[in-house]
Amino acid sequence: MSEVTSQLLPGFWKSWQELNAHSAILHQWNQLERSGCIDNFRILAEEKDAFRRGWYFADSDAYKWLDAAFNILSCQYDPQLSILVDQLIELVQKAQAADGYLYTFNQILFFEVRWENLQIEHELYCHGHLIEAFVSGAQLDGYEDKLQIACKAADRIVADFNGKGPAFTPGHEEIEIALLRLYELTGNQSYLDMARQFLEKRGSSFGFGIKLVKQALSNNKRVKEVAERKADYLAANPAAEQNALPEGNKAKEPSNIQRRWIVNTLSGKFFQQHQPVKKQTKPAGHAVRYAYLQTAGTMIDKLTEGSAFLDSLEKSWQHMVAKQMYITGGIGSLPVIEGFGRDYELDPGFAYAETCAALGSLFWNREMVKLTGKACYSDLYEWQIYNAVLVGMGLDGTTYFYNNPLTSDGEVQRQNWYEVPCCPSNLSRTFAALQNDIITIQKDRSIDIQQYISSQHIVEIGSETFTFEITSDLLWKGETGITIKQAPRNKVKLNLRLPSWAEKRQISINGEKLHNEISSGPFLLNPNNAKWLSVERQWTAGDQVNLNFDMPVRTYHPHPKIKSLQGKTALTRGPLVYCLESVDQPGIDLFSIVLDPEKFVVENAPELLGGVQLIKAQTNHGEPLVFIPYHLWGNRGPSQMTVFVDIESKENE
Ligand code: FUB
Ligand code: ZN
C-alpha cells in the first residue's frame, strides 16, 4: 500500500481553502452558537440551563463543523480554532451517554426514547456525522484517542441494529458512509457488516407507506409536545435567550409539488426505500439521500472487492448525467422533495439543486473512480466542484446558497445562515480536505492525476519516494504543469485525465510532444468522453510534464426534451459554466435578450470578483453583454441571473 501526503499549493483552490479556514469556519461557529446548536450539548453536559433549540437533527451541523475544523487543522496550525474544537469535543464527550448513544433531541426532551421514527427523525444520520467527524480527527496528532467517541457510537448502533429487519434502516442515508470510513480506519469488520446490512435491507420493508404515516403522526405529536413544553418554559423563564432561527431557503415551487411530495414519500422513493438498492438503476427521491446511498454502495464494493452494487451504480450514474442533471452538474431539480422529478424535468427557474446534493454527488464520484478507475467520474467531479458545488459559498466565505437556480429574478440571494444550515459546513469539510481528492494510487502503483489543482504530493512507493508538484492554471488558460521533484530508481506510471470538455489536448514532457489529439466530442456534460493518457518512464528530478487543453467558448444547447429551454443556450469555457448577472448589464432585461452567436471575446478582469476571465458578447442588436462564471453570481447584492439565453440561429444552421 502506498502512503500519500498531499497539500495544496498557492492558486485558485488554496485561496478558497484559506477563506474557508480564516472566515467560513469561524462564521459557522458563531452561527451554531447563535442558533443554540452548541448550547444543546451544554444542556446535556449540565453546563447550561436552557430549552433545547433547533430541528431534531441540529446536532449534525455541529459534527460537520467539527469534521471541517479537523480537516483545516490537518493542514495548518490555528490556536483559536483548536480552542473551539477542544471545547466542542469536551461537550460531546460529556453529552454522549455511557453506552455510546448521542442525540440531544431525545436525551434532553424524551430521555427514555431511542431509535424512534427512523424514517423521519435522523438519529442514525446524526450519529453518522458524529462518527465521520472523529474519523477525520484521527488524522491529527493528539486526537487519536477521541476516535473512541466514534467507536462507542458505532458499537451502540451495531448492538441495536445488527440482524434487525428492513424497518430498521435510516430514512436519511449517512450512517452507512460513516461506518465504512470507520471500518477503513479501524478494520473492525462489524462496522462494514452493519453498513452492508443497512443497504441490503433497504427497500424491502413491507407496507412502508403505512409505517411512514404512523411515524409521521408520532413525529408530529412529539414536535407538538416540544413546542408546548417550550412555551411553558419561556413563560416561566421570560429572560431566556431566544434568537430567532434564521429563515428557511426560498425556492420557486411547481403548483402541484405538495401532492407530488406526498406520493414520493409514501411510495418510499423519497427515502430510496421503494425497492432493493441493487434494483435501483435510476435516481429517485431526495437528492442528498440518494447521493449518500450511492456513495455507500460504491464504498462497500470497493472495500469488499466485490461488485454487488456496481451494475445499479453505473446505470444510475449514467441516467443521472443524461437525464437528471443541470448543465452546472446540479442534481435534484424539485423543491419540497429536494430531489428528482421526471426525466428532463430540468426547468432552470425551479432548479433546486441543493448544494449538499452536488456535494453528495462529488463524494460518489470520488468513490466511483477509486472503485472503477474510470476517468468519467473524475471528470464529473471536476465539472460539479467548479459549478454546482462552488456556487454554494460566497466570496466572503460567510454567505451561502442552499438551492441553486439557473435563472433568478432576484428572489434567491445568498444568506449568512439558514433554518436548516446543512450546506455551509458540508462545503467547508469538503474544501478543507480537497488535497485528498487530487490523486489516487492504483493497485499497480500507478498514479492517477484526477484533478488539475495546484498541489504537492509525496508518494511512498515501497522504500522509495516519488514527489511531484502540480501547478495549474486550468480555469483560465487550460494549462497545467507537473514537475517531478524526487523520483525512485524504478519506473513510475502517471495516468493523466484528458477532460471531456477539451477538444485539443497537447501533452509534452520536457518540451517534447507526447500527445497531440483532437477529441471528437460531443462536448459538455458528456463525462464519458474523458479518458486517461498513461506515461510510464524512469523519471528524473526536474522532469516537467505540460498539459494544454484548448479553451474555446462553447454554446451548450439543452436536450430537446427540456421544453422550457428550447432555442436557448448556455455558455461554457473549460470546466466553467457562465451566466449573466443584471449588475453587469444595467438597463437590460436578461430574460428578453437574444445572443449574437458570433461575437464572443474572452477578457481578463483581474479586479473583478477576485480575478476572473469574462466572456464578452453582444445581443443581436449589438448591446454589450458580460458573462461571469456561474459560481460567482450573487456576490454583489440582489440581482437577476440567468445561465440560459435565447440565441440567434446561425444562417448556415
Ligand atoms: O435532512 C437533513 C438535511 O437537511 C438534508 O440532507 C437536506 O436536504 C436538508 O433538508
Ligand atoms: Zn444542504
Side-chain angles (χ1 to χ4, degrees):
M1 188 62 183
S2 304
E3 183 70 30
V4 181
T5 308
S6 300
Q7 63 173 323
L8 296 196
L9 294 176
F12 180 86
W13 279 108
K14 182 69 175 174
S15 306
W16 280 100
Q17 260 197 359
E18 291 298 310
L19 181 77
N20 191 37
H22 300 135
S23 170
I25 198 73
L26 297 175
H27 166 80
Q28 290 170 23
W29 175 266
N30 294 334
Q31 291 297 330
L32 290 170
E33 282 284 29
R34 191 171 162 279
S35 58
C37 176
I38 307 300
D39 271 349
N40 294 338
F41 294 93
R42 293 193 179 100
I43 294 167
L44 261 182
E46 295 176 352
E47 291 184 12
K48 180 129 189 165
D49 175 17
F51 199 86
R52 186 190 181 281
R53 299 175 62 209
W55 279 80
Y56 37 80
F57 50 81
D59 301 350
S60 61
D61 301 316
Y63 302 144
K64 278 187 273 182
W65 179 89
L66 186 58
D67 194 343
F70 275 136
N71 286 328
I72 289 168
L73 292 174
S74 72
C75 299
Q76 61 194 67
Y77 175 63
D78 181 330
Q80 182 190 10
L81 184 58
S82 297
I83 290 168
L84 295 177
V85 163
D86 292 344
Q87 184 185 353
L88 181 55
I89 291 173
E90 189 183 345
L91 286 171
V92 165
Q93 274 182 303
K94 287 180 179 175
Q96 186 175 31
D99 66 1
Y101 183 83
L102 179 46
Y103 188 62
T104 64
F105 183 76
N106 275 342
Q107 286 173 280
I108 296 171
L109 296 166
F110 301 96
F111 186 67
E112 296 307 318
V113 175
R114 284 186 179 186
W115 311 130
E116 188 82 359
N117 303 330
L118 287 174
Q119 296 311 312
I120 295 173
E121 292 195 15
H122 287 57
E123 284 171 280
L124 287 164
Y125 171 87
C126 287
H127 280 87
H129 281 302
L130 169 73
I131 291 166
E132 283 210 75
F134 286 97
V135 167
S136 295
Q139 65 187 314
L140 277 187
D141 292 341
Y143 289 96
E144 300 88 342
D145 65 324
K146 303 302 180 194
L147 187 67
Q148 265 317 302
I149 297 170
C151 293
K152 274 173 67 177
D155 294 341
R156 175 77 276 122
I157 288 161
V158 170
D160 292 352
F161 287 85
N162 182 37
K164 288 281 182 68
F168 293 85
T169 49
H172 192 313
E173 298 90 335
E174 155 57 26
I175 185 61
E176 305 85 351
I177 296 174
L179 289 168
L180 293 165
R181 285 189 65 193
L182 191 58
Y183 165 73
E184 284 184 306
L185 192 59
T186 63
N188 182 327
Q189 185 67 30
S190 70
Y191 302 150
L192 171 62
D193 294 344
M194 190 68 251
R196 183 163 36 194
Q197 284 184 46
F198 278 137
L199 262 80
E200 288 179 345
K201 288 173 194 163
R202 194 171 200 88
S204 43
S205 174
F206 182 71
F208 179 85
I210 295 166
K211 289 172 187 163
L212 183 69
V213 169
K214 286 180 182 167
Q215 291 193 22
L217 293 172
S218 164
N219 171 256
N220 287 343
K221 185 166 172 277
R222 283 156 48 86
V223 169
K224 188 166 172 289
E225 182 186 326
V226 170
E228 288 162 1
R229 287 162 58 181
K230 182 170 184 176
D232 296 344
Y233 178 86
L234 293 178
N237 303 274
E241 60 187 316
Q242 285 300 323
N243 300 333
L245 282 176
E247 60 181 348
N249 61 311
K250 294 187 183 65
K252 277 185 181 165
E253 296 184 1
S255 56
N256 61 354
I257 194 63
Q258 294 298 337
R259 207 166 40 251
R260 291 179 71 177
W261 174 80
I262 291 169
V263 171
N264 199 258
T265 48
L266 291 178
S267 69
K269 282 189 173 180
F270 180 86
F271 311 92
Q272 298 78 43
Q273 294 271 23
H274 56 297
Q275 61 186 151
V277 171
K278 292 171 188 170
K279 291 188 177 161
Q280 296 187 30
T281 56
K282 63 181 184 177
H286 185 276
V288 184
R289 288 173 167 84
Y290 163 81
Y292 284 12
L293 172 64
Q294 305 301 98
T295 302
T298 310
M299 293 175 76
I300 288 175
D301 275 2
K302 178 167 69 71
L303 292 168
T304 59
E305 298 189 1
S307 57
F309 299 100
L310 183 59
D311 179 61
S312 58
L313 289 166
E314 291 194 320
K315 284 177 182 163
S316 204
W317 188 90
Q318 292 292 346
H319 190 113
M320 176 185 80
V321 170
K323 303 177 182 177
Q324 289 275 5
M325 189 162 74
Y326 288 99
I327 168 104
T328 54
I331 59 171
S333 57
L334 295 181
V336 180
I337 291 174
E338 297 190 308
F340 299 98
R342 293 180 290 273
D343 285 351
Y344 303 108
E345 190 178 8
L346 296 168
D347 180 287
F350 290 146
Y352 196 76
E354 181 181 347
T355 301
C356 286
L359 285 163
S361 184
L362 215 64
F363 305 154
W364 182 20
N365 283 315
R366 172 203 297 158
E367 297 306 328
M368 282 299 274
V369 73
K370 289 179 195 169
L371 174 65
T372 67
K374 291 181 183 172
C376 58
Y377 301 113
S378 281
D379 218 59
L380 183 59
Y381 180 109
E382 175 181 74
W383 194 268
Q384 286 179 317
I385 200 168
Y386 283 108
N387 300 294
V389 167
L390 187 53
V391 69
M393 186 181 282
L395 275 173
D396 52 17
T398 60
T399 52
Y400 305 90
F401 278 137
Y402 181 111
N403 48 298
N404 298 282
L406 278 71
T407 58
S408 172
D409 48 28
E411 85 287 346
V412 174
Q413 296 170 33
R414 292 183 184 277
Q415 303 296 334
N416 59 27
W417 211 240
Y418 290 93
E419 180 198 359
V420 176
C422 49
C423 305
S425 52
N426 218 357
L427 283 163
S428 286
R429 71 179 180 138
T430 304
F431 291 171
L434 193 57
Q435 58 280 355
N436 304 325
D437 291 353
I438 297 171
I439 70 168
T440 44
I441 313 298
Q442 292 300 335
K443 286 197 186 77
D444 65 1
R445 292 187 169 179
S446 63
I447 299 172
D448 289 0
I449 310 292
Q450 305 288 359
Q451 301 303 328
Y452 296 111
I453 294 174
S454 296
S455 50
Q456 180 200 61
H457 305 276
I458 302 169
V459 183
E460 304 301 338
I461 302 178
S463 59
E464 299 197 271
T465 302
F466 183 59
T467 303
F468 62 95
E469 290 183 357
I470 300 174
T471 309
S472 173
D473 195 351
L474 181 82
L475 272 195
W476 311 124
K477 294 183 182 165
E479 295 171 0
T480 298
I482 301 174
T483 308
I484 311 302
K485 293 294 191 182
Q486 184 182 359
R489 285 185 299 273
N490 46 26
K491 287 185 177 181
V492 174
K493 183 160 76 167
L494 290 182
N495 303 314
L496 308 170
R497 177 175 58 88
L498 302 181
S500 62
W501 47 262
E503 185 175 6
K504 297 188 186 76
R505 304 146 162 184
Q506 293 171 339
I507 317 291
S508 64
I509 297 183
N510 299 333
E512 185 189 329
K513 269 213 188 334
L514 175 78
H515 176 82
N516 194 354
E517 175 210 58
I518 305 280
S519 160
S520 57
F523 298 103
L524 300 182
L525 234 50
N526 194 335
N528 293 302
N529 264 1
K531 59 185 193 182
W532 297 113
L533 174 73
S534 293
V535 185
E536 183 167 22
R537 61 187 280 153
Q538 167 69 54
W539 298 95
T540 308
D543 281 347
Q544 177 85 14
V545 182
N546 283 309
L547 303 94
N548 281 286
F549 305 128
D550 73 320
M551 302 274 279
V553 175
R554 282 218 176 84
T555 51
Y556 165 79
H557 300 291
H559 193 283
K561 287 188 178 175
I562 309 175
K563 299 297 176 217
S564 59
L565 289 179
Q566 291 324 292
K568 294 184 183 299
T569 192
L571 298 190
T572 73
R573 181 170 181 260
L576 290 182
V577 174
Y578 277 71
C579 69
L580 286 174
E581 247 199 306
S582 51
V583 288
D584 295 311
Q585 4 274 335
I588 289 183
D589 174 4
L590 304 187
F591 304 109
S592 61
I593 57 169
V594 177
L595 188 64
D596 179 326
E598 307 289 344
K599 302 269 189 332
F600 302 139
V601 174
V602 174
E603 186 175 294
N604 206 15
E607 304 309 315
L608 185 67
L609 292 165
V612 292
Q613 292 207 344
L614 306 170
I615 296 176
K616 295 238 173 156
Q618 291 180 20
T619 69
N620 58 347
H621 298 308
E623 299 152 300
L625 295 172
V626 176
F627 286 80
I628 64 166
Y630 170 73
H631 70 253
L632 290 171
W633 93 272
N635 276 295
R636 296 173 286 177
S639 65
Q640 286 183 329
M641 179 279 295
T642 186
V643 166
F644 292 102
V645 289
D646 285 315
I647 187 164
E648 197 171 55
S649 56
K650 294 177 189 171
E651 283 69 41
N652 56 358
E653 263 188 346

